[in-house]
Amino acid sequence: MDDLVTSHTNALTENPAFPQEFQPRERGRAASRVQIDNIVSKFDPEQYVVDSHRLDTGPMIVGSDGVVESGNGRTIALRRLAQERPEEYARYQQ
């Protein structure tokens, strides 16, 4: 999880290592922060492992180079979850 290249850091500052053409959203906005906070506080691992056939839910899409092509917010939320709620992150891993 830590090796994945997301559009923004866990603090929601732009990641210069990320090809910005893959991220049309401005993750530094308050709405992104609220979305990520909600994922962490109301975490349900099923929503992140079951393929919903949609780009805005389910597993993240990660290129062979480790770049998160879809699911940057989910990835950042999972990183926070691992730090803040390790027991919930363990459920996700299982």
Side-chain angles (χ1 to χ4, degrees):
M1 189 67 64
D2 290 334
D3 294 335
L4 297 178
V5 180
T6 51
S7 62
H8 290 69
T9 67
N10 293 357
L12 298 181
T13 58
E14 196 171 294
N15 180 356
F18 185 84
Q20 291 300 315
E21 63 270 13
F22 287 145
Q23 178 55 274
R25 292 192 184 107
E26 172 48 56
R27 286 268 165 220
R29 294 181 335 189
S32 289
R33 205 171 293 278
V34 168
Q35 175 196 22
I36 291 167
D37 288 348
N38 282 335
I39 291 171
V40 173
S41 68
K42 300 173 185 174
F43 186 70
D44 176 8
E46 289 286 313
Q47 292 184 7
Y48 304 95
V49 297
V50 175
D51 188 358
S52 64
H53 303 286
R54 294 177 40 185
L55 293 176
D56 62 338
T57 61
M60 293 78 72
I61 298 172
V62 180
S64 59
D65 55 0
V67 171
V68 178
E69 297 174 8
S70 179
N72 283 280
R74 285 170 274 164
T75 304
I76 294 166
L78 286 170
R79 287 179 182 159
R80 275 194 42 205
L81 190 75
Q83 292 175 342
E84 298 172 19
R85 301 178 65 201
E87 69 288 345
E88 290 297 314
Y89 185 72
R91 286 182 51 217
Y92 166 74
Q93 289 179 305
Q94 290 176 343

